[in-house]
Amino acid sequence: MSDGGVVVGGGGVTVGDGGVAVDGGGVAVGDGERVRGRVVRVLRAVSYAALPAEAVLAVCLVGGVRVPGAVLAAAELLVVMLLVAEVSVWVRLRRRGLSRREALAELVPEAVLRLIGHELRLMASLGRWAARRPHGLGDARVAFPHARDQAALMYGFAFVCVVETVGMSYLLAGLPAVHAVVLFLDVYTVLFVLGLHAASVTRPHLLTTGGELRLRQAAHVDVRVPLERIAAVRRETLFTHEKAEDELNLAVGSQTSVTIELDAPVDAPRLLGAPRPVRLIRCHADDPAALVRTVSDALTRARTAPSPAPGPPPPV
C-alpha cells in the first residue's frame, strides 16, 4: 500500500487516488464516484468461479479423492488474492465517505447480503431469547407477542431434527470425514429451527411512539405501517390464505387473527429485497383483541382533532 494507491497481485487490481484500474488500466473511477464498473464485475465474476471451485475441492477431499498439491495451492492463492483485492477496494470506498454497509454493498450483491443478514439475525435471536431481551422495544409504546401458537410445532420439529442427528451420527460412525460434515449440517439445522422460533419470540409486533404499527415475522419480515395509512383494523381468524399480489399474510401456526386494510400501499420487501407493495395485511397475535383495540384507539386519537382553546369571556 502506498500514497498513490493499492496494488494487488501482478497487475490484478490497482486502486489509486484517481480511481480503480483492472489489469493496468481497465477502468478508472473518479474519487467522488462509487466503484460500480468493471472492477466490481471482475471481482464478482472471480468470486462466482472461485467459491464453487472451493466447494468442489472440499467435496473431493472429503470423498478421499487425491488432488494434486499444485491445484490446492493455486486455489488457495486465488482465494487469498480475491480477499485482499476486495478488502483493498472496500478500504478505498470507506475513505471516500461511504458507510460500511454501502461499501460492502458495492462488492457483494444485495441478495447475498440479505441472506447472510438473515442467518446472523437468527443466531442473534437465540442469544436474545436466552437473555430475555426482546428486539426493538426502545421506541415501542405497546408490544404484541405472536409466537405462542407455533411453539409446540417448532419444538416438535427441533426434536425430530435432534433424533435425525443422533441416527445419522450412528450410521456414519465408520466414515469420519462424512460424519463430520453431516454432523455440522444437522446441528446447524437444529439451531436454525430454534432460531426461527427465537426470532418470533424476541420480535413481537409493536405500536411505536412515532405513530407506526411495526409488524414482524421471525427474522425476515419487518413492515412499518404508518397509522395514517390504516383504513380499518378488525379481528378475523382465517386458516386458509390465497396468494394475492397486494396482500401480505403473516400466518403463525397456519392462522391469522387480525386483518388490516390500508388506504395507501406500504412496501413489504421480499427476502431477497424485491419490492412488494401491499394494501392488505393479515397477521396473528397471542391476544388479537388487545391489538385491534389498541390500534383502533390510536387511530381514533390520531384522527380526532383537538378542541380549540376557549377564547376570552364576552364582555359584560
Side-chain angles (χ1 to χ4, degrees), residues 20 47-48 68 78 118 157 264 305:
V20 180
S47 299
Y48 293 150
L78 176 62
H118 177 259
F157 192 23

Side-chain angles (χ1 to χ4, degrees), residues 226-243:
L227 291 179
E228 59 267 18
R229 296 194 184 184
I230 298 178
V233 56
R234 64 182 181 273
R235 183 174 178 179
E236 182 181 34
T237 301
L238 296 174
F239 292 92
T240 58
H241 306 88
E242 296 182 1
K243 291 185 177 180

Side-chain angles (χ1 to χ4, degrees), residues 76-95:
E76 298 307 317
L77 179 61
L78 176 62
V79 172
V80 171
M81 291 180 62
L82 176 63
L83 291 176
V84 172
E86 292 193 349
V87 170
S88 301
V89 175
W90 186 82
V91 170
R92 289 298 302 175
L93 291 171
R94 290 283 291 144
R95 289 179 177 176

Side-chain angles (χ1 to χ4, degrees), residues 254-284:
S254 301
Q255 67 172 318
T256 58
S257 54
V258 177
T259 299
I260 302 171
E261 298 178 2
L262 309 177
D263 55 16
V266 297
D267 186 29
R270 303 178 189 274
L271 178 60
L272 299 183
R276 176 174 53 179
V278 296
R279 300 184 67 97
L280 186 143
I281 301 176
R282 298 187 182 96
C283 63
H284 181 67

Side-chain angles (χ1 to χ4, degrees), residues 8-198:
V8 180
V13 178
T14 303
V15 184
D17 290 337
V20 180
V22 177
D23 294 331
V27 65
V29 182
D31 284 339
E33 300 178 359
R34 296 183 178 182
V35 182
R36 293 184 180 274
R38 186 177 172 186
V39 171
V40 174
R41 291 198 299 269
V42 168
L43 289 177
R44 288 183 177 179
V46 175
S47 299
Y48 293 150
L51 295 180
E54 286 288 314
V56 171
L57 286 177
V59 171
C60 290
L61 292 175
V62 171
V65 178
R66 297 187 61 182
V67 180
V71 174
L72 291 176
E76 298 307 317
L77 179 61
L78 176 62
V79 172
V80 171
M81 291 180 62
L82 176 63
L83 291 176
V84 172
E86 292 193 349
V87 170
S88 301
V89 175
W90 186 82
V91 170
R92 289 298 302 175
L93 291 171
R94 290 283 291 144
R95 289 179 177 176
R96 293 177 183 179
L98 273 68
S99 67
R100 293 177 181 177
R101 180 171 179 81
E102 289 173 342
L104 189 61
E106 293 291 333
L107 299 172
V108 183
E110 180 67 17
V112 176
L113 286 178
R114 284 183 168 270
L115 287 176
I116 295 175
H118 177 259
E119 300 298 308
L120 293 177
R121 287 193 296 273
L122 287 183
M123 297 302 108
S125 296
L126 290 172
R128 286 184 172 274
W129 190 25
R132 299 192 177 188
R133 294 182 56 190
H135 176 272
L137 297 187
D139 62 344
R141 186 191 308 173
V142 187
F144 306 99
H146 56 82
R148 181 185 61 196
D149 292 336
Q150 73 174 17
L153 175 64
M154 301 304 290
Y155 291 150
F157 192 23
F159 176 76
V160 171
C161 292
V162 170
V163 173
E164 190 264 348
T165 300
V166 175
M168 292 302 295
S169 296
Y170 176 78
L171 294 175
L172 299 175
L175 301 172
V178 178
H179 172 266
V181 173
V182 174
L183 179 62
F184 172 81
L185 294 176
D186 285 341
V187 171
Y188 186 81
T189 301
V190 174
L191 293 177
F192 184 87
V193 172
L194 292 176
L196 285 174
H197 183 58

